[in-house]
């Protein structure tokens, strides 16, 4: 087999997996179904991807690169940290909102074997832009910001995947979190303070 043949087969297989993930969800990705729809043998799938998990992760990685990370841009001149973070979150999470089954699949895949690849891909995609608009911040604050936002995102995605949070609440909650992390909250945290 030539490399071109393998890459063509790989592209067909991933296209089928992406279609299944988008329309029917994570559990619909069965290798016999994928083989039949892609017009390849099961042996070919196993030779190219080794496991179902590896195949799903490869498909999700491609989808994320094309959808969630493709439009990440550096900060605008004079843009505040809050506005930069909000814009970044919208760029990443709006494609997920439009494709909820993909977000469910992401949650299942990232918690399974090899799922750390998806986390690494996100860091590699986001870090260059983040470093530009956060480079002048206090290192301790920056570390806390990353810890809080990262854990909040994973918790919200987990709640969505469990069916306890509507997908539209993820971005809204992340934006409120950014607001609280970048605002002067001293007055609002006093006893008896009125709400906005």
């Amino acid at each position: 087999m030539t490399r071109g043949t393998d890459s063509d087969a790989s592209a067909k297989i991933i296209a089928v997996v992406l279609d299944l993930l988008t329309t029917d969800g994570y559990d619909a990705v069965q290798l016999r179904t994928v083989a039949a729809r892609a017009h390849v043998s099961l042996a070919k799938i196993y030779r190219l991807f080794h496991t179902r998990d590896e195949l799903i992760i490869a498909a999700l990685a491609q989808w994320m690169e094309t959808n969630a990370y493709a439009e990440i841009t550096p900060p605008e001149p004079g843009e505040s940290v809050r506005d930069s973070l909000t814009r970044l979150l919208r760029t990443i999470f709006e494609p997920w909102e439009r494709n909820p089954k993909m977000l469910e699949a992401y949650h299942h895949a990232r918690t399974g074997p090899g799922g750390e690849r998806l986390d690494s891909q996100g860091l590699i995609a986001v870090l260059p832009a983040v470093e530009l608009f956060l480079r002048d911040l206090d290192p301790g604050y920056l570390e806390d910001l990353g810890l809080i936002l990262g854990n909040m995102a994973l918790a919200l995605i987990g709640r969505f995947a469990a069916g306890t949070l509507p997908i539209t609440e993820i971005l809204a909650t992340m934006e409120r979190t950014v607001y609280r992390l970048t605002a002067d909250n001293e007055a609002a945290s006093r006893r008896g303070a009125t709400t906005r």
Side-chain angles (χ1 to χ4, degrees):
M1 294 277 166
T2 64
R3 277 186 186 218
T5 304
D6 280 352
S7 64
D8 291 345
S10 179
K12 287 193 317 189
I13 292 164
I14 287 180
V16 168
V17 172
L18 288 172
D19 183 57
L20 287 168
L21 289 172
T22 302
T23 57
D24 301 316
Y26 183 83
D27 292 332
V29 179
Q30 300 301 318
L31 295 185
R32 288 189 189 281
T33 303
V34 172
R37 289 188 184 184
H39 306 291
V40 299
S41 67
L42 275 172
K44 174 75 112 178
I45 291 175
Y46 281 115
R47 189 167 56 74
L48 294 172
F49 296 101
H50 303 106
T51 67
R52 176 180 179 264
D53 291 323
E54 187 178 322
L55 173 58
I56 291 172
I57 287 169
L60 283 166
Q62 179 179 309
W63 185 90
M64 289 164 50
E65 182 179 327
T66 304
N67 294 278
Y69 303 133
E71 301 296 321
I72 292 175
T73 58
E76 301 291 327
E79 188 175 42
S80 71
V81 169
R82 180 184 304 156
D83 290 343
S84 293
L85 285 172
T86 300
R87 186 169 49 80
L88 176 66
L89 290 170
R90 287 178 183 162
T91 299
I92 294 169
F93 282 99
E94 285 175 351
W96 292 115
E97 279 187 7
R98 292 187 297 272
N99 298 278
K101 290 194 182 293
M102 293 300 283
L103 187 57
E104 287 176 12
Y106 166 80
H107 173 73
H108 290 297
R110 75 162 295 279
T111 57
E116 65 279 353
R117 173 181 168 193
L118 298 174
D119 291 339
S120 296
Q121 178 187 4
L123 285 174
I124 290 168
V126 170
L127 278 180
V130 169
E131 286 176 348
L132 282 176
F133 61 80
L134 299 179
R135 68 176 161 225
D136 295 330
L137 297 181
D138 173 83
Y141 175 76
L142 184 56
E143 185 177 335
D144 289 346
L145 193 64
L147 180 69
I148 293 166
L149 291 176
N151 285 324
M152 179 64 79
L154 293 177
L156 293 169
I157 291 168
R159 285 193 56 207
F160 161 70
T164 62
L165 183 76
I167 196 165
T168 54
E169 287 300 310
I170 295 173
L171 182 55
T173 303
M174 292 298 294
E175 288 178 349
R176 282 198 319 272
T177 303
V178 166
Y179 173 79
R180 288 297 181 192
L181 290 171
T182 58
D184 179 357
N185 294 297
E186 187 175 345
S189 66
R190 289 192 192 116
R191 289 195 191 279
T194 58
T195 57
R196 296 184 256 164

